[in-house]
Amino acid sequence: MNLHIYNTLEGQKVPFEPLDKAHVRMYVCGPTVYDRAHIGNARPIIVFDVLYRLLRRLYPRVTYVRNITDVDDKIIKAAEECGEEIGTLTERMINCFHEDIRGLDVLPPDEEPRATEHIEEMKKLIEKLLATNHAYRADGHVLFHVPSYPDYGKLSHRDREEMIAGARVEVASYKKDPADFVLWKPSTPDLPGWESPWGRGRPGWHLECSAMSQRYLGETFDIHGGGLDLVFPHHENEIAQSECAYPGKPFVRYWIHNGYLTVDGEKMSKSLGNFITIREALDQARGKGEAVRFNMLGTHYRQPADWTDAGLQGAIHIMDRLYIALRDAEDVESLSSSASPNGVLEALMDDLNTPLALRRLQRIASQLNKANSVDRKRELKNALLSSGELLGLLQKEPDDWLKGKITYEVEMEAVAAATPGLGARKTEQEEEITLGIKFALEMDAELIRGEPWINQKIAKRIEARKRKDFAAADAIRDELAEKGIILEDRPDGTTDWRRA
Ligand SMILES: [Zn+2]
């Protein structure tokens, strides 16, 4: 079976055929770094991480580029509000972003270009568009002239009138056409800006992605991804800029978009109180980022997803079962990850059918639990690890997962670096997040320190059972259960434990 993927451009599921079978190229729009990333931002990060893992399994080389937008009006506004230098704010938010997604076991992209480091490429692109009359200067701005590109609207499949009505932007008087959009805008001396033939200014957001994707992936590349909310106008504008700058060359061959994410059935918003950052989701999962992934991948990427705490807790429970299956097969030697992934790979080849892939993963685990022969166990354990790797799951030591030895140390370091000293000005939310992580760290340390105590209790319970004092044995089991420690008696008479 070949990889099939839904291409927004064609409005259907199609076979994926890269331009160069030896090298697949993919670009995904990354974060605008003005605030902590929320759980909705995590969806494309996780979805395209799975696609990246799948492509790496199928092709010898994949280049995955995910940009960082570090110059933007939202950033300027946020810096003003929290009284911080723009560069300090963006640096801090980039650190937070990296730390958050590391918690989700997301592989780093091959390139992570920052907009402010690619201003020259953007200026060159504007020059090309001006020279070919696809752009014009007006009132200190450079604008893209939409009527100069007849294919405008081919991605969102909407006509011009619909798009103008949908954009709902205030039409500036200097625009020749209401759909025209900004390539370069003037900056006052107090705002970030770069010298240019059109005066000191800064680039428009859409331009960044056209310039950076071309720089790293060429004029035509295979896959461009992002959230559904980016189809119009962002991606439509990227296509217009790139295809006018490099005429006769299609910009992107496969456009892939993930659906929207709601929280508890409602659109996420700070005013509704259902705004969840990635950091908070990780805390809800008690640091078990794989459960956040599992919960996210439980919905097909093109469907709307609803985030609930019940879903997350269910995902933790399933992940525990999967790790228990691996722990119980600890003595079985596993081979390389090239083993047949038992249907999980096939599910992903069908337009990234992750809900089916996760069900198959669970099926492999239950087969492993029931397997009798060592050969069969080895085959299933390999399948579980290899399939898990495709989904970004099950790559930790089972015991570390089950005993909650997932420390926040690495993350704590990043936070310390991101929020220097107590005197540094932080938003109230940032203060709370730092406090929350400190709290979690202390909790974790206490739980880990608690291990000898747990082992002592287990030893006492074994003694009680030996002298047939089952009431005492049960009392110890209950006492531990109250503290979230679940005992598991093994057929050989030993007892192991895990955290609930
Ligand atoms: Zn973009």
PDB file of all heavy atoms in Angstrom, residues 27 29-30 67 205 209 224 230 234-235 238, ligand 1:
ATOM      1  N   TYR A  27       7.114  21.610   4.802  1.00  0.00           N
ATOM      2  CA  TYR A  27       7.133  22.870   5.561  1.00  0.00           C
ATOM      3  C   TYR A  27       5.837  22.968   6.365  1.00  0.00           C
ATOM      4  O   TYR A  27       4.753  22.693   5.844  1.00  0.00           O
ATOM      5  CB  TYR A  27       7.213  24.050   4.588  1.00  0.00           C
ATOM      6  CG  TYR A  27       7.341  25.406   5.248  1.00  0.00           C
ATOM      7  CD1 TYR A  27       8.593  25.964   5.484  1.00  0.00           C
ATOM      8  CD2 TYR A  27       6.210  26.133   5.625  1.00  0.00           C
ATOM      9  CE1 TYR A  27       8.720  27.219   6.080  1.00  0.00           C
ATOM     10  CE2 TYR A  27       6.332  27.381   6.224  1.00  0.00           C
ATOM     11  CZ  TYR A  27       7.585  27.922   6.440  1.00  0.00           C
ATOM     12  OH  TYR A  27       7.713  29.153   7.032  1.00  0.00           O
ATOM     13  N   CYS A  29       3.792  25.667   9.130  1.00  0.00           N
ATOM     14  CA  CYS A  29       3.810  26.986   9.774  1.00  0.00           C
ATOM     15  C   CYS A  29       3.964  26.803  11.283  1.00  0.00           C
ATOM     16  O   CYS A  29       3.183  26.088  11.911  1.00  0.00           O
ATOM     17  CB  CYS A  29       2.530  27.749   9.483  1.00  0.00           C
ATOM     18  SG  CYS A  29       2.337  28.110   7.737  1.00  0.00           S
ATOM     19  N   GLY A  30       4.948  27.464  11.830  1.00  0.00           N
ATOM     20  CA  GLY A  30       5.229  27.341  13.257  1.00  0.00           C
ATOM     21  C   GLY A  30       4.601  28.466  14.064  1.00  0.00           C
ATOM     22  O   GLY A  30       3.772  29.223  13.557  1.00  0.00           O
ATOM     23  N   ASN A  67       8.903  27.012  10.851  1.00  0.00           N
ATOM     24  CA  ASN A  67       9.448  28.345  11.140  1.00  0.00           C
ATOM     25  C   ASN A  67       9.021  28.882  12.506  1.00  0.00           C
ATOM     26  O   ASN A  67       8.140  28.328  13.161  1.00  0.00           O
ATOM     27  CB  ASN A  67       8.978  29.326  10.066  1.00  0.00           C
ATOM     28  CG  ASN A  67       7.501  29.616  10.201  1.00  0.00           C
ATOM     29  OD1 ASN A  67       6.681  28.717  10.103  1.00  0.00           O
ATOM     30  ND2 ASN A  67       7.157  30.856  10.464  1.00  0.00           N
ATOM     31  N   TRP A 205       3.368  39.025   7.599  1.00  0.00           N
ATOM     32  CA  TRP A 205       3.447  37.642   8.086  1.00  0.00           C
ATOM     33  C   TRP A 205       3.481  36.618   6.942  1.00  0.00           C
ATOM     34  O   TRP A 205       4.303  35.702   6.937  1.00  0.00           O
ATOM     35  CB  TRP A 205       2.243  37.389   9.009  1.00  0.00           C
ATOM     36  CG  TRP A 205       2.024  35.965   9.425  1.00  0.00           C
ATOM     37  CD1 TRP A 205       2.980  35.067   9.802  1.00  0.00           C
ATOM     38  CD2 TRP A 205       0.767  35.290   9.516  1.00  0.00           C
ATOM     39  NE1 TRP A 205       2.394  33.866  10.128  1.00  0.00           N
ATOM     40  CE2 TRP A 205       1.041  33.970   9.961  1.00  0.00           C
ATOM     41  CE3 TRP A 205      -0.561  35.652   9.288  1.00  0.00           C
ATOM     42  CZ2 TRP A 205       0.035  33.029  10.160  1.00  0.00           C
ATOM     43  CZ3 TRP A 205      -1.563  34.729   9.494  1.00  0.00           C
ATOM     44  CH2 TRP A 205      -1.266  33.427   9.927  1.00  0.00           C
ATOM     45  N   CYS A 209       6.711  33.091   5.330  1.00  0.00           N
ATOM     46  CA  CYS A 209       6.678  31.657   5.009  1.00  0.00           C
ATOM     47  C   CYS A 209       7.086  31.407   3.560  1.00  0.00           C
ATOM     48  O   CYS A 209       7.760  30.416   3.271  1.00  0.00           O
ATOM     49  CB  CYS A 209       5.296  31.078   5.296  1.00  0.00           C
ATOM     50  SG  CYS A 209       4.973  30.950   7.063  1.00  0.00           S
ATOM     51  N   HIS A 224       3.039  21.128   2.393  1.00  0.00           N
ATOM     52  CA  HIS A 224       2.937  22.307   3.260  1.00  0.00           C
ATOM     53  C   HIS A 224       1.777  22.035   4.208  1.00  0.00           C
ATOM     54  O   HIS A 224       0.683  21.696   3.781  1.00  0.00           O
ATOM     55  CB  HIS A 224       2.679  23.555   2.414  1.00  0.00           C
ATOM     56  CG  HIS A 224       2.860  24.847   3.186  1.00  0.00           C
ATOM     57  ND1 HIS A 224       2.324  25.044   4.439  1.00  0.00           N
ATOM     58  CD2 HIS A 224       3.511  25.991   2.873  1.00  0.00           C
ATOM     59  CE1 HIS A 224       2.646  26.263   4.854  1.00  0.00           C
ATOM     60  NE2 HIS A 224       3.359  26.867   3.931  1.00  0.00           N
ATOM     61  N   LEU A 230      -5.512  28.394   8.805  1.00  0.00           N
ATOM     62  CA  LEU A 230      -4.489  29.108   8.030  1.00  0.00           C
ATOM     63  C   LEU A 230      -4.749  29.064   6.518  1.00  0.00           C
ATOM     64  O   LEU A 230      -4.073  29.736   5.745  1.00  0.00           O
ATOM     65  CB  LEU A 230      -3.092  28.530   8.306  1.00  0.00           C
ATOM     66  CG  LEU A 230      -2.568  28.646   9.739  1.00  0.00           C
ATOM     67  CD1 LEU A 230      -1.146  28.109   9.821  1.00  0.00           C
ATOM     68  CD2 LEU A 230      -2.604  30.094  10.231  1.00  0.00           C
ATOM     69  N   HIS A 234      -3.871  33.098   5.031  1.00  0.00           N
ATOM     70  CA  HIS A 234      -2.406  32.915   5.086  1.00  0.00           C
ATOM     71  C   HIS A 234      -1.853  32.064   3.940  1.00  0.00           C
ATOM     72  O   HIS A 234      -0.964  32.493   3.203  1.00  0.00           O
ATOM     73  CB  HIS A 234      -2.024  32.337   6.447  1.00  0.00           C
ATOM     74  CG  HIS A 234      -0.551  32.191   6.659  1.00  0.00           C
ATOM     75  ND1 HIS A 234       0.322  33.243   6.509  1.00  0.00           N
ATOM     76  CD2 HIS A 234       0.214  31.106   6.993  1.00  0.00           C
ATOM     77  CE1 HIS A 234       1.560  32.823   6.748  1.00  0.00           C
ATOM     78  NE2 HIS A 234       1.519  31.537   7.039  1.00  0.00           N
ATOM     79  N   HIS A 235      -2.382  30.857   3.786  1.00  0.00           N
ATOM     80  CA  HIS A 235      -1.808  29.974   2.763  1.00  0.00           C
ATOM     81  C   HIS A 235      -2.155  30.424   1.352  1.00  0.00           C
ATOM     82  O   HIS A 235      -1.361  30.271   0.419  1.00  0.00           O
ATOM     83  CB  HIS A 235      -2.241  28.534   3.026  1.00  0.00           C
ATOM     84  CG  HIS A 235      -1.588  27.955   4.252  1.00  0.00           C
ATOM     85  ND1 HIS A 235      -2.035  26.825   4.882  1.00  0.00           N
ATOM     86  CD2 HIS A 235      -0.496  28.382   4.958  1.00  0.00           C
ATOM     87  CE1 HIS A 235      -1.255  26.565   5.931  1.00  0.00           C
ATOM     88  NE2 HIS A 235      -0.332  27.495   6.008  1.00  0.00           N
ATOM     89  N   GLU A 238       0.370  32.969   0.619  1.00  0.00           N
ATOM     90  CA  GLU A 238       1.685  32.363   0.372  1.00  0.00           C
ATOM     91  C   GLU A 238       1.766  31.859  -1.075  1.00  0.00           C
ATOM     92  O   GLU A 238       2.769  32.063  -1.761  1.00  0.00           O
ATOM     93  CB  GLU A 238       1.910  31.169   1.315  1.00  0.00           C
ATOM     94  CG  GLU A 238       2.349  31.529   2.713  1.00  0.00           C
ATOM     95  CD  GLU A 238       2.711  30.269   3.513  1.00  0.00           C
ATOM     96  OE1 GLU A 238       3.295  29.326   2.943  1.00  0.00           O
ATOM     97  OE2 GLU A 238       2.390  30.217   4.709  1.00  0.00           O
TER      98      GLU A 238
HETATM   99 ZN    ZN B   1       2.973  30.123   7.236  1.00  0.00          ZN
END
